[in-house]
Amino acid sequence: MKTGGIWYLAVASLRRHRVRTAILVATVGVVAGLPLVTDATLAAYTSAITARARATPILIGPRGGETDLLLDALYLRPDGRSFLPVNAVTEAVEGVDAETIPLHVRHRVAGYPLVGTDLGYFRLRGLRCAEGHMPLRLGDCVVGAEVAARMGVGAKDSLVSDPEGVLDVVGGFGTRLRITGVLAASATPDDQAVFCDVKTAWVIDGIGHGHEDVDASPVYGDVPAAPVDLPRMAGVDEANLGRFHFHGDPSEFPLRAAIVVPASASEGLIVRGRLTDPDSMGQAIVPVQALDQLLDIVMRIQGIVRMLTSVLAVLTTVLLVLIGALALRLRRVELATLAAIGVRRGAILGLIVSEWTFLLLAGGASALALTLASRRWGVQLLERFIAST
Amino acid sequence: MIAIDELRFAYPGGRFELAVDELRVATGSSLALCGPSGCGKTTLLHLVAGLLPMQAGSLRVGERELRGLSEGRRRTYRRNEVGLVFQNARLVDYLSVRDNILVVEHCAGFVRPLAEPLQRCVALAERLGIDHLLHQRSDRISQGEAQRVAIARALLLEPPLLLADEPTASLDDASAAATIDLLVATARDLGTTLVVATHDPRSRDACDARFTLPSPLLAPHA
């Protein structure tokens, strides 16, 4: 040690009282960082959700809450209750020059949403495979970048869809899916989802299935007995692909929503006009417009957080002053000793001020770090929270 | 070195009054301030140190008359010309032994070069037998060692005057004897004038001279 001084003493004091220092720095960091984090996160969230909404011209979904439809379709929230039949979509776009992208968002894989769609979705969102290729056949799937990273899976691995619920004793086994690719990271909810063809999703619904060979059933004398219930195949592979079939009218198969990309604004108007009838099964929303309601809620939350933070800041300031006063009382012998041995009053004041300056600077740095962290992960966390609610 | 004439001091609102008609302490000598408890030994020491303002009489240290000095000037005088050793070492608990000895140097600026003071610190620590403790935390050493650290702290700036207030009062016999011998010997070697307020007969005997304050004068109740 060739240099020292008041700053050295201030740092020594803070280091010696590590726990107190850490608590004070964390307190200052949180109180100062909270409004910054909220503002940064909500601004980034607003920007992200607006961009995603802008890239989604029209959404068709079942009648009901617009916000739920918006969030389910944009944030891929699995919803097992709200759906509309395929024909509600085909009738709305019939004769209109528009691309229609189905969205089946009902099941999960290892907790991540399983999205049944078609290749148009990947084109619309600008998604490409970082590894492998897009799902081409029944039973294929691609995983988002975060799913792949967290689960440690890649192309040629397989996943099993989550059983519908613990009480689902009939169809309680999941369906095996073959991973054909991993999507490149896009910093959107697509990173946290698994994608398959919509027909694969219908297989998981139980609408489409294959059966094991009847030969495997018990034989009584010369006559093979048909089992009471033919065992369903747990997954689609090369060998059994041809034995999968669907029951029922395909136009009645369920979708959570459909994204419609009209060739022109007037084509879009036609689609929306067809679904204005309150008796129609579906509704058409323009996500950017529907988003205004959501952003209004976001702004209100921001206002509440700001108000709470202001109250918290006042209380924290009072608390810090109290802690400072108590700390001075505890240190009165030390300060009196310094004064007695001739240390200038300004130097003693400088020591106290330096300690608090370092504390506040460290707290400010923590707030900055929190803000930077929120810019990196805040939107993802918020999106995950929204997706889970 | 120290010349006191007709000194009078009373605490505001108190009945005690200190009266010293005449006292002389030669440069480089050591003096034991003795007297019964409450006679004003510490008060006199604090007046000489400039910790208390003079009220009446004259008190000169070297060529400096302390009467009439402002608080700021007394502080400067104390820093530059006086070393103080308290009854309890009163070390700064969050600093190492070395930084306690250097604390006045640390407090002289926000960032201070310490190469030269550090040499003095090490030399003093060696002289006082605490050089092996320099990197120890100051709250992990014995009271006798802490008192030697306090002596080193007081002598770091090589003050011409060293004032010690009951420096052995909180020590056991062995530590007390060693500490007072070390204090007197070090002051003598450095040519520092030493004034020790003490009850301890060993301290009295170790010093060159003694000055006994009379029993306290109690002013009548108002």
Side-chain angles (χ1 to χ4, degrees), chain A residues 2 4 8 16 334 340 343, chain B residues 75 93 99 112 114 137 139:
Chain A
K2 295 294 181 189
Y8 174 88
R16 178 63 191 282
E334 172 202 340
V343 173
Chain B
R75 208 179 270 246
D93 66 350
D99 288 325
R112 292 278 295 170
L114 290 179
R137 275 172 53 165
D139 58 352

Side-chain angles (χ1 to χ4, degrees), chain B residues 78-98:
Chain B
R78 206 155 57 237
R79 182 172 63 248
N80 296 333
E81 297 180 36
V82 182
L84 273 172
V85 179
F86 306 97
Q87 182 174 331
N88 295 311
R90 285 167 67 169
L91 302 182
V92 180
D93 66 350
Y94 58 81
L95 295 179
S96 66
V97 164
R98 181 191 62 188

Side-chain angles (χ1 to χ4, degrees), chain B residues 131-152:
Chain B
D131 49 320
H132 62 292
L133 300 173
L134 282 174
H135 298 285
Q136 283 268 2
R137 275 172 53 165
S138 58
D139 58 352
R140 291 188 180 166
I141 57 177
S142 70
Q143 283 199 319
E145 289 167 337
Q147 202 58 292
R148 280 187 273 165
V149 175
I151 293 168

Side-chain angles (χ1 to χ4, degrees), chain A residues 202-276:
Chain A
W202 286 330
V203 166
I204 299 170
D205 277 342
I207 300 169
H209 57 250
H211 298 287
E212 301 291 355
D213 288 339
V214 175
D215 295 346
S217 302
V219 176
Y220 297 100
D222 296 331
V223 183
V228 174
D229 187 14
L230 294 172
R232 289 179 182 179
M233 291 164 174
V236 187
D237 53 35
E238 297 278 357
N240 65 17
L241 182 63
R243 276 184 289 194
F244 268 81
H245 54 274
F246 290 88
H247 292 278
D249 178 1
S251 68
E252 293 291 331
F253 290 176
L255 294 175
R256 174 65 185 101
I259 298 171
V260 178
V261 187
S264 66
S266 56
E267 304 281 347
L269 272 176
I270 295 170
V271 175
R272 290 166 60 195
R274 286 177 179 169
L275 292 171
T276 50

Side-chain angles (χ1 to χ4, degrees), chain A residues 1-9 12-13 16 331 334 336-345 347 351 354, chain B residues 71 75 78-79 84 86 90 93-95 98-99 104 106-115 118 137 139:
Chain A
M1 180 192 67
K2 295 294 181 189
T3 57
I6 291 169
W7 287 345
Y8 174 88
L9 297 185
S13 170
R16 178 63 191 282
R331 295 174 67 179
E334 172 202 340
T337 303
L338 291 179
I341 61 178
V343 173
R344 284 176 292 113
R345 199 188 300 262
L351 176 61
S354 296
Chain B
E71 162 66 24
R75 208 179 270 246
R78 206 155 57 237
R79 182 172 63 248
L84 273 172
F86 306 97
R90 285 167 67 169
D93 66 350
Y94 58 81
L95 295 179
R98 181 191 62 188
D99 288 325
V104 178
H106 277 300
C107 288
F110 285 101
V111 179
R112 292 278 295 170
L114 290 179
L118 196 55
R137 275 172 53 165
D139 58 352

